[in-house]
Amino acid sequence: MPVARPELSDSRVIAHVDMDCFYVQVLWKTDSSSLKVRSDVRRQVYRFKGMKCNDPILANWSYCESVVEQRKQQSLRGQPTAVVQYNSWQGGGLIAVSYEARKFGVKRSMRGDEAKQVCPEIHLVQVPVARGKADLNTYRNAGSEVVSILSRRGRCERASIDEVYLDLTIAAEAMLADNPPECLETISEDVVQSHVLGLEEVGSDARENVRHWFTRSDASRRDKLLACGAFIVAELRLQVLEETEFTCSAGIAHNKMLAKLASGMNKPAQQTVVPFSSISKLLRTLPIKKMKQLGGKLGTSLQIDLGVNTVGDLLQFSEEKLQEYYGVNTG
DNA sequence: CATGGGACCCAG
DNA sequence: CTGGGTCC
């Protein structure tokens, strides 16, 4: 029988790391492989610009443009920018949008022309093209740099080009045994800036609440493990920033689903912890469509056919009942 | 044609 | 295996 159920009573420490508008960030950076390509081709680009181009590699004008555009990279920091693929039809499709551009209402999956209308000063940069297709290898390689840093502290699972799950259970247990947060004299600002779900965020001093949560000696073992995990993730995110210039956001929780949910709650360049005690409150009212796997037709079917709107509503249905509707695994 | 394409999972 | 769904 297929089983797709997590273990009961789970105290793993799982992080989900999500790069902020990753394709845009990659433009800001100069990595060695793209430099090599650029210096190879730069001379020819200038030679071919405005002419008929017979070289099969350079024949695609989009590629020439993208090579030229990449030279602007450093100056694009802090400016409204989007990465587009295929510029020939209505300016190409946006696949990443900088936070500066988002302020103007520029959205992913707009066309380049559309983005120019709402944000005339936006910089549109094309992804490289190889064999007539968008070539994402530059971004894939940049993602690998991040994975190599994250894997210093735990096992990594690449979830996509710009997302990684990290199992920090072992590292958190070790930290709890050797050097628990409650014994630390000072706690770095990066850690205190974490968001912890379920903490009363009264206007007075959220910082002090977080600091207290991290250092309380009477916390449950689960909470202490998550606190250690959040420490480690804060360190890792700093190392990623120092070594790659990339910022990312992260969620820290007891399983992948919750870590993924949390990483998207505070962006960019922030991290969010989901303590065990906050889970039921969080899920009871969470719209089902926000959960991974339920954003499409399955989620719609849950709403329309079963009247399930929140994760809490789902509890009224037995596993067997759901399997009747959707099959053994999906159910 | 007009969000594009690839990776992965599942049901039948 | 194919065809459909989902994600980025």
Side-chain angles (χ1 to χ4, degrees):
Chain A
M1 262 298 138
V3 174
R5 206 170 5 162
E7 296 157 34
L8 225 49
S9 148
D10 194 337
S11 284
R12 290 178 301 161
V13 176
I14 305 294
H16 179 261
V17 176
D18 196 328
M19 308 308 294
D20 303 320
C21 57
F22 190 42
Y23 293 179
V24 174
Q25 286 204 81
V26 170
L27 301 175
W28 301 340
K29 185 170 176 275
T30 323
D31 80 327
S32 49
S33 60
S34 75
L35 251 186
K36 190 168 182 331
V37 172
R38 261 203 312 283
S39 57
D40 259 9
V41 178
R42 185 181 296 140
R43 215 175 308 116
Q44 303 173 61
V45 168
Y46 285 131
R47 183 144 47 92
F48 282 110
K49 183 150 188 171
M51 301 186 202
K52 192 96 178 172
C53 178
N54 293 322
D55 185 310
I57 296 175
L58 296 173
N60 188 313
W61 179 242
S62 297
Y63 183 72
C64 295
E65 277 298 329
S66 87
V67 170
V68 172
E69 285 291 343
Q70 280 184 20
R71 300 179 69 245
K72 288 188 199 167
Q73 50 177 336
Q74 310 89 334
S75 59
L76 289 177
R77 244 184 217 281
Q79 299 203 36
T81 306
V83 174
V84 299
Q85 59 185 0
Y86 309 126
N87 67 350
S88 43
W89 189 70
Q90 293 184 13
L94 274 57
I95 58 173
V97 181
S98 75
Y99 281 83
E100 291 81 7
R102 292 181 199 193
K103 290 181 201 156
F104 291 82
V106 178
K107 293 229 165 66
R108 234 182 106 239
S109 100
M110 272 182 172
R111 305 258 92 192
D113 295 347
E114 221 176 333
K116 283 273 189 197
Q117 282 173 15
V118 298
C119 179
E121 61 267 52
I122 194 170
H123 296 83
L124 297 178
V125 181
Q126 290 144 5
V127 313
V129 171
R131 286 174 31 82
K133 304 261 187 195
D135 178 10
L136 304 182
N137 280 326
T138 312
Y139 309 103
R140 215 164 267 128
N141 294 340
S144 297
E145 288 183 47
V146 176
V147 172
S148 76
I149 293 168
L150 298 180
S151 52
R152 291 170 191 166
R153 306 300 293 275
R155 284 195 50 131
C156 284
E157 174 184 323
R158 267 193 106 155
S160 75
I161 281 187
D162 73 330
E163 283 176 62
V164 181
Y165 291 100
L166 229 192
D167 190 337
L168 291 171
T169 309
I170 305 288
E173 283 170 347
M175 178 173 172
L176 187 55
D178 304 342
N179 194 23
E182 60 194 273
C183 297
L184 264 42
E185 296 162 11
T186 64
I187 296 193
S188 87
E189 200 56 20
D190 296 298
V191 173
V192 179
Q193 282 169 5
S194 299
H195 298 80
V196 181
L197 297 188
L199 285 194
E200 248 27 87
E201 298 220 3
V202 277
S204 58
D205 199 353
R207 280 276 199 296
E208 192 46 46
N209 285 341
V210 174
R211 185 187 306 277
H212 178 251
W213 184 86
F214 270 97
T215 54
R216 53 184 293 186
S217 54
D218 62 338
S220 65
R221 176 171 171 82
R222 291 191 120 105
D223 275 4
K224 289 181 180 180
L225 284 170
L226 283 187
C228 291
F231 255 84
I232 295 167
V233 171
E235 285 174 5
L236 285 170
R237 288 177 48 237
L238 195 58
Q239 289 176 10
V240 167
L241 181 61
E242 285 169 352
E243 296 176 34
T244 70
E245 304 170 32
F246 297 143
T247 68
C248 57
S249 300
I252 299 99
H254 288 308
N255 65 40
K256 287 165 68 176
M257 180 232 115
L258 290 169
K260 161 88 174 166
L261 198 58
S263 72
M265 287 182 174
N266 297 103
K267 282 180 132 282
Q270 296 167 77
Q271 63 182 51
T272 306
V273 184
V274 188
F276 183 80
S277 58
S278 75
I279 297 175
S280 60
K281 262 170 286 180
L282 168 68
L283 293 188
R284 207 177 55 235
T285 56
L286 185 79
I288 210 133
K289 299 278 257 178
K290 300 232 169 186
M291 300 239 324
K292 190 168 162 72
Q293 305 297 313
L294 300 183
K297 300 197 177 185
L298 184 56
T300 303
S301 163
L302 246 12
Q303 291 177 310
I304 295 190
D305 302 332
L306 300 188
V308 168
N309 285 300
T310 69
V311 180
D313 295 343
L314 252 192
L315 295 176
Q316 297 165 358
F317 293 85
S318 67
E319 183 170 347
E320 291 75 20
K321 202 73 189 167
L322 294 171
Q323 288 177 329
E324 273 177 39
Y325 271 87
Y326 299 112
V328 230
N329 280 300
T330 306

